[in-house]
Amino acid sequence: MSSAPVMRLRAIILFELAPTLKGPLPWAALAGLMITVIPIRFIMVGDLRVNGELVGQALRLNYVVAIGYSTIAFLATLFTLCFCLDRTGPHFLRNNDLLILSRAVGRPQFYLAKMVSVLIPSLIYESLAVILFWEELYRVAGVNLSHVFILILPLGLSMLCLVSLYFLMRNFLGNFMIFFLWLLLLPVIYVANLWGIYAGVLRESGAFAQTINLLPQFGGIHAWSMGTVSDFFMRDQSWHALINGAVWTVAALAAGLFIFARKRL
Amino acid sequence: MPETPGASRVAAAIACEGLELDYGRGSRIGPLTLEIGAGSCVALVGENGAGKSSFISMVLGLRPPTRGSLSLFGEHCHSTASRRGIGYLQESVDFPERARAQDLMALHSRLTGLDRKKTSRELEGYLDGFGLELTSKPTRAYSKGMKQRLALAIAMLDCKRMLILDEPNSGLDPVGIAMLRAKLDALKAEGTTLLISTHRLAEVMHLADRVLVLHQGKVAGASPMSEFHDFPAFEKYFLERVK
């Protein structure tokens, strides 16, 4: 790619990133990080008893990883959806966006620049959350759980998959429709995947189980991620979810670019 | 190829042949076969829904034509390079609410490849020429007229080859209209092709070299403006073509 298209791409990304930095969303996102430190303070400090029995640190750490990573994944997903909502809001493909497209900017470059402007703050946020989680665990309990940094990669894949699907859907549906559809759909996919992996239910054949397994396995990626931090959570087949997530991402990107290039603006 | 009278066949700014855009359910624009010569000033007029904005969208590559060919300065309209040096003002002007004038100017300066430092230095003077001040106010605090002035400033950032304006006077006060007229006169003198889509016939009569009347998606009339000795004659010509 010659320098002029790269300059144009960078200009669009910078412009799209500006409202993310200025608006209330980053402050809300940063405030949300407080939630990640609460389980560490409750579970890792002092004595913890279950049914009157003292719980050892190894088991406590598992609780913290499960609750902490789930909180990070939940917050990252929520704020990524909010970033998508903001970047593809009422101005999407109207006014300034059309002016941009009329200025010798190719549609694929525009589409990808918009996506990148969502992914950059999303990845920064995830990384901050993981760093805070590691720092709090180290400071409060003296546990150096450096494995948690691996979580940035699968979480990044989940967000890339989510954003690719969001932008693909934006070619057909209204912004709020997609937002609420994901808010409703994601917990179902998550819970069904996690039950399938940990409890063994929903793994058997059946229309519902088969359909859920065909959908992006966000819950499966979640399970694999926790397995990288603690063997307690590792399940043999959970890596399949990474392949599933990557396939969905590539398919959603390819379909989104194809449809957007032909879309009537 | 039939052409708008007076258009140059040597270097057509816009040349289309059999250009059509289907909306489905039997609704369509075209077929349009016309040429707009480089350096000319053409008024594109027609009723609401005549297809003026759709034609402009096809010219700008925002809507791919269903059939036919369209070229800009000899280059196929599908190539993004064909749109370089073409400024555009939309009919409905609105900007991202939190963006400031300088953010938008910086974006479009970079998109047009203008020198960023030079643009920053000259930005204040440039905006002043459109009656705008460099403030930290976001565009949501702008009046309709200020948004229109800002949109004109953005459109004229890079319009070396052609400037396409869709209802340019919308929301402008008399001072703004006079400012716009002066800027368009200057661009015309520099040889920039002007395509002005408007409902206000009187305002383009003294500026345009020729008029192109669209009616129900087709060219209903094309005539040099010099054929009309006064506004009633121009208005009568228009009304007869859209009956």
Side-chain angles (χ1 to χ4, degrees):
Chain A
M1 201 185 275
S2 67
S3 65
V6 173
M7 288 280 284
R8 279 199 281 272
L9 204 62
R10 203 165 59 186
I12 300 168
I13 293 170
L14 283 173
F15 179 78
E16 293 291 336
L17 277 172
T20 307
L21 301 172
K22 282 185 206 163
L25 207 52
W27 302 109
L30 290 173
L33 289 180
M34 299 276 286
I35 303 168
T36 59
V37 301
I38 293 169
I40 298 173
R41 304 229 166 164
F42 272 94
I43 298 171
M44 298 304 289
V45 178
D47 292 342
L48 181 71
R49 291 172 188 276
V50 175
N51 295 331
E53 296 281 327
L54 267 175
V55 180
Q57 199 193 42
L59 201 51
R60 285 194 212 190
L61 206 54
N62 288 338
Y63 293 160
V64 165
V65 167
I67 297 170
Y69 181 60
S70 300
T71 308
I72 291 171
F74 169 75
L75 289 172
T77 306
L78 181 66
F79 284 109
T80 303
L81 283 175
C82 289
F83 291 136
C84 285
L85 191 73
D86 191 49
R87 297 273 60 78
T88 61
H91 290 97
F92 186 58
L93 296 186
R94 296 185 60 195
N95 302 299
N96 196 54
D97 282 356
L98 294 184
L99 283 178
I100 292 170
L101 282 165
S102 74
R103 284 214 190 271
V105 174
R107 289 196 189 191
Q109 288 92 326
F110 174 83
Y111 188 82
L112 290 173
K114 280 264 184 188
M115 276 185 58
V116 169
S117 74
V118 171
L119 284 166
I120 287 175
S122 170
L123 281 171
I124 291 172
Y125 182 68
E126 289 153 27
S127 304
L128 273 177
V130 171
I131 290 167
L132 182 70
F133 182 74
W134 171 83
E135 186 273 338
E136 277 294 296
L137 204 55
Y138 187 68
R139 198 169 60 82
V140 172
V143 179
N144 180 6
L145 201 65
S146 55
H147 282 78
V148 290
F149 292 108
I150 300 170
L151 299 180
I152 294 169
L153 297 174
L155 198 53
L157 173 66
S158 283
M159 294 309 116
L160 180 60
C161 185
L162 183 66
V163 173
S164 309
L165 287 165
Y166 196 106
F167 274 75
L168 170 64
M169 291 165 84
R170 192 67 181 87
N171 287 309
F172 316 105
L173 296 172
N175 212 17
F176 282 99
M177 172 73 88
I178 305 169
F179 186 78
F180 287 110
L181 203 61
W182 274 118
L183 282 186
L184 293 172
L185 194 64
L186 266 174
V188 176
I189 297 179
Y190 247 99
V191 171
N193 283 166
L194 285 172
W195 278 359
I197 287 170
Y198 287 124
V201 290
L202 296 175
R203 200 180 272 178
E204 300 77 19
S205 60
F208 180 73
Q210 282 173 358
T211 308
I212 287 288
N213 284 333
L214 283 175
L215 293 175
Q217 295 180 11
F218 294 110
I221 296 174
H222 190 123
W224 182 85
S225 306
M226 289 196 297
T228 62
V229 179
S230 167
D231 288 342
F232 180 80
F233 297 110
M234 185 51 87
R235 295 294 182 276
D236 290 342
Q237 306 298 315
S238 60
W239 62 272
H240 289 182
L242 295 178
I243 307 293
N244 169 288
V247 169
W248 268 102
T249 303
V250 171
L253 259 176
L257 283 167
F258 180 81
I259 292 163
F260 188 73
R262 284 151 186 80
K263 188 178 168 68
R264 186 177 287 172
L265 303 176
Chain B
M1 182 190 291
E3 60 185 331
T4 54
S8 160
R9 289 182 66 85
V10 179
I14 300 173
C16 55
E17 190 163 4
L19 192 71
E20 287 181 49
L21 177 67
D22 277 344
Y23 287 110
R25 296 178 190 170
S27 176
R28 86 157 60 140
I29 304 286
L32 297 172
T33 298
L34 57 95
E35 268 190 21
I36 293 174
S40 61
C41 177
V42 175
L44 186 63
V45 294
E47 294 169 292
N48 292 322
K52 304 185 296 293
S53 296
S54 297
F55 173 66
I56 288 174
S57 294
M58 284 192 281
V59 169
L60 291 163
L62 298 175
R63 287 186 185 185
T66 315
R67 277 175 289 278
S69 69
L70 171 65
S71 63
L72 306 174
F73 298 96
E75 288 178 282
H76 196 278
C77 71
H78 284 178
S79 114
T80 50
S82 70
R83 301 202 293 275
R84 298 227 173 97
I86 297 177
Y88 169 47
L89 173 82
Q90 287 166 295
E91 183 184 8
S92 154
V93 171
D94 202 0
F95 294 108
E97 288 190 342
R98 277 173 281 181
R100 299 166 304 164
Q102 53 262 50
D103 300 331
L104 289 155
M105 293 297 290
L107 167 70
H108 288 279
S109 299
R110 288 179 185 132
L111 290 178
T112 51
L114 296 177
D115 179 18
R116 192 184 160 198
K117 282 180 186 167
K118 186 182 166 194
T119 306
S120 302
R121 214 170 39 242
E122 294 181 356
L123 185 61
E124 199 163 352
Y126 181 77
L127 285 176
D128 189 51
F130 289 87
L132 291 168
E133 287 174 8
L134 201 61
T135 66
S136 58
K137 271 200 299 189
T139 55
R140 68 166 168 247
Y142 280 27
S143 67
K144 184 169 171 17
M146 284 170 77
K147 283 182 186 170
Q148 188 76 2
R149 284 166 187 255
L150 178 59
L152 281 165
I154 291 169
M156 291 184 192
L157 255 180
D158 181 29
C159 59
K160 290 185 288 289
R161 298 203 292 176
M162 180 158 57
L163 179 62
I164 299 173
L165 303 171
D166 204 345
E167 295 296 345
N169 291 330
S170 176
L172 290 181
D173 56 22
V175 177
I177 291 172
M179 173 272 298
L180 175 64
R181 200 177 295 144
K183 295 231 178 251
L184 293 181
D185 281 336
L187 285 171
K188 194 178 163 187
E190 287 167 15
T192 301
T193 308
L194 299 175
L195 178 63
I196 305 168
S197 167
T198 186
H199 290 297
R200 301 175 196 193
L201 303 179
E203 281 158 16
V204 285
M205 197 181 164
H206 302 293
L207 183 71
D209 305 324
R210 56 188 69 90
V211 60
L212 194 62
V213 184
L214 286 189
H215 180 56
Q216 294 179 344
K218 292 186 172 66
V219 178
S223 173
M225 207 59 99
S226 55
E227 283 191 4
F228 312 112
H229 50 85
D230 57 11
F231 178 67
F234 178 35
E235 191 178 40
K236 187 180 169 207
Y237 172 84
F238 170 75
L239 292 173
E240 280 172 356
R241 300 272 163 320
V242 298
K243 257 181 192 168

